[in-house]
Amino acid sequence: MADADWERRLGLLWSSIDEHGEDQFVAAMQALAAELPPDDAVGRFEQGSAFDSTGHPGLAVARYRRALERGLSGLRRRRAVIQLASSLRNLGQAEESVALLTDELDAGSDELDDAVRAFLVLALPSVRRDREAVSHALTALAPHLPRYNRSLAAYARELA
């Protein structure tokens, strides 16, 4: 497991992503991940994220899957599912994306709930489930409005 100094350096690398070329950023992430034990779940996840963030979702997918298989936990686990589902959608595998995100809605609740719904909203039209996408968008939006929360929640249920 990564220690506080490693996490700090990871944060610095992510905050400087726009200062690096794509290959340079990926190389820096691979070097940082190499400091962790071989096949470490966090290292695999961060490598996958680096590939994803530099426009290489195909290279990210295997790393996300491996991180999840290796027991990635907490918010990183949920982020891995979201990012894996997004990459799969981008690669034309929307059915699997929808399945992952739908399962994730039932996996518990945290600050990433709206992100799960947002990426599900992106995936559902790819499988011709537009009304359901609008329902999820309204469900995510309703709690953030100063008024009309109940009405929008009811309309969202009606659409689904």
Side-chain angles (χ1 to χ4, degrees), residues 43-122:
R44 290 293 177 152
F45 168 71
E46 295 297 344
Q47 287 177 28
S49 297
F51 280 119
D52 226 353
S53 294
T54 56
H56 303 285
L59 296 173
V61 166
R63 286 160 181 84
Y64 292 147
R65 289 189 196 280
R66 188 67 180 151
L68 291 165
E69 289 168 5
R70 298 289 302 156
L72 193 65
S73 62
L75 284 178
R76 274 195 174 110
R77 186 208 62 78
R78 198 150 205 221
R79 287 175 50 209
V81 172
I82 292 166
Q83 291 168 214
L84 171 60
S86 177
S87 293
L88 290 169
R89 181 187 65 83
N90 288 331
L91 295 169
Q93 298 173 42
E95 290 285 350
E96 185 177 358
S97 175
V98 168
L100 284 168
L101 293 165
T102 301
D103 288 347
E104 195 60 29
L105 286 176
D106 298 327
S109 183
D110 60 26
E111 69 243 33
L112 294 176
D113 289 353
D114 289 344
V116 173
R117 285 193 187 281
F119 282 91
L120 183 57
V121 166
L122 289 171

Side-chain angles (χ1 to χ4, degrees), residues 16 26 69 74 114 140 147:
S16 68
V26 169
E69 289 168 5
D114 289 344
R147 299 192 63 127

